[in-house]
Each structure stands twice: as C-alpha cells, then as structure tokens.
Amino acid sequence: MKKSMSSIISEDTLSKVLDKLSEAVPRSLEGRSDVLDAYGQMIKVIDDTLTIHRPWYIGIYRVDPINPLQIRTLPWRGPSEACSPIDLEKGGVIWTALRSGKTQYVPDVKILEQESTTAHVGCSSEMTGTEIVIPLFGPARGKTRKLLGAWDLDLNVKNVYGTEPAGINEYVHRLENILTNPGEAILSRLYQDKYPAKLLQARHLYAQHAA
C-alpha cells in the first residue's frame, strides 16, 4: 500500500518541475487534431512530469450537459478507480471549485474529511495527500463564462507545496497558468464536437460565473 508523506520537496526542485511541465504540456498537444488523443497525451505528460508529487489521480471532470447536477470524469491516469459520476448533493472539493469558480488547494484531504462528511469525496482510502482542483470555463459571452469542468489532481504528498501561504500561492498560480488554457481548449473542443450549441445554452445556465 502506498502511503502519503509530508512534503520534503525543496523549493528549487518544485520550481524546476513546474518549469519542465510548462514546456512539456504545450509540446504534447502539437500536431494532434483529435481531441481525446490530445487529452490523453497531455495527462500522460502531466503524470510523468509530476512524479515527485506522487500523483494518484490526474484528469479532468466535465459537467454533464444532459444532467448538469452531475460531473463525470474523462479518461484519467492513476492506480485507483475514479469517482464518476459525482452528484452536486455529494459535495466534495471539485464541486466547491465549480460553485465558487476558484481553484481549491487542500493540503491534507484526511483532515478535510474529519471536518465535514461532504467536504471531500474520496475514491480510495490510499489517497491521503493533497488535492488541487482548477475550474475550467468556456469562452466569455458578455459578462459570463460557462463552467465546463475542472482539472482534478490528487497527489499522495501532504502539503505538497509546503506550509507557507506565499509559497503555496506561488506554486498553485504557476500550475493554474500551465493547465488552465489547454484544459479549457480540450473541453471546449469536446463539447463543440459532441453537443449542440442550443443544448449547451439551455443546460449550462446554472453554471454561469461572472467574468
């Protein structure tokens, strides 16, 4: 059984890993016209590059266009089964990110579980580290942007970015900058290919978030 550890990753190492990721993600998408092929290559690169973070689950959850009170995972990387679908009423870190429209950084999911039964949806008891969720939006229309889904990164290292707020904010912001645009591009392409625009307009009104 894998056990999580407290972060002992140096700042220099973290910075180098994120530098490498910022170069590898765009490169993984070059020349790939098929959206799921591009997505699969991207999450493999993320999983491989973040080895030192001990990734447990790397993937994107999408808002279900037929039942927008559910989220479902796209193909993911990790040793565990993914929780899918997840209903709004179950709560959890992903739904917190979607409701707020803001990235969620949870340094220790087990502490969160002790605080509230709906704060964290755990798919495996072996995942006991950090969870990072980055909400993903569609193109802006006027003053609103529709929520399409979210990156979900489960990392089996507690306090993966340390305990100092300034350091945490810096690394999370860098991760957002690396993953947000390609994640939004993947979901936007997927929805355009699979779902009529009128259906999206009707089903996603609940998810509008002020730009």
Side-chain angles (χ1 to χ4, degrees), residues 36 82 97 102 109 119 127 130-131 143 148 153 176 190 192:
L36 289 181
K102 297 179 180 179
V109 295
M127 166 50 200
T130 301
E131 183 169 8
K143 294 183 178 180
L148 299 181
L153 289 78
E176 287 176 321
L190 179 65
Q192 288 172 0

Side-chain angles (χ1 to χ4, degrees), residues 78-90:
S80 175
E81 288 188 18
C83 296
S84 183
I86 302 176
D87 295 331
L88 172 63
E89 62 186 17
K90 286 187 178 180

Side-chain angles (χ1 to χ4, degrees), residues 27-99:
R27 192 163 54 241
S28 72
L29 301 176
E30 291 177 357
R32 301 190 183 277
S33 58
D34 182 87
V35 62
L36 289 181
D37 178 39
Y39 169 72
Q41 292 296 324
M42 180 167 56
I43 62 169
K44 180 183 185 303
V45 163
I46 296 168
D47 189 46
D48 291 347
T49 306
L50 295 183
T51 300
I52 198 168
H53 292 60
R54 302 183 73 189
W56 188 255
Y57 169 97
I58 303 289
I60 288 179
Y61 276 84
R62 62 177 177 87
V63 176
D64 190 321
I66 307 302
N67 179 6
L69 299 183
Q70 285 186 338
I71 51 176
R72 298 177 181 275
T73 186
L74 294 178
W76 71 95
R77 296 271 293 185
S80 175
E81 288 188 18
C83 296
S84 183
I86 302 176
D87 295 331
L88 172 63
E89 62 186 17
K90 286 187 178 180
V93 181
I94 302 172
W95 273 114
T96 299
L98 291 176
R99 283 169 146 173

Side-chain angles (χ1 to χ4, degrees), residues 50-170:
L50 295 183
T51 300
I52 198 168
H53 292 60
R54 302 183 73 189
W56 188 255
Y57 169 97
I58 303 289
I60 288 179
Y61 276 84
R62 62 177 177 87
V63 176
D64 190 321
I66 307 302
N67 179 6
L69 299 183
Q70 285 186 338
I71 51 176
R72 298 177 181 275
T73 186
L74 294 178
W76 71 95
R77 296 271 293 185
S80 175
E81 288 188 18
C83 296
S84 183
I86 302 176
D87 295 331
L88 172 63
E89 62 186 17
K90 286 187 178 180
V93 181
I94 302 172
W95 273 114
T96 299
L98 291 176
R99 283 169 146 173
S100 66
K102 297 179 180 179
T103 294
Q104 302 296 305
Y105 174 83
V106 179
D108 187 340
V109 295
K110 290 305 178 184
I111 291 179
L112 193 64
E113 288 177 0
Q114 294 168 8
E115 294 174 349
S116 170
T117 56
T118 60
H120 178 252
V121 177
C123 303
S124 171
S125 60
E126 295 184 49
M127 166 50 200
T128 60
T130 301
E131 183 169 8
I132 304 171
V133 179
I134 303 171
L136 301 171
F137 298 86
R141 293 187 178 181
K143 294 183 178 180
T144 62
R145 299 183 72 195
K146 290 185 174 66
L147 284 162
L148 299 181
W151 276 109
D152 185 30
L153 289 78
D154 293 336
L155 310 168
N156 240 353
V157 180
K158 296 176 183 178
N159 300 298
V160 70
Y161 291 146
T163 58
E164 294 297 325
I168 293 171
N169 291 337
E170 176 188 349

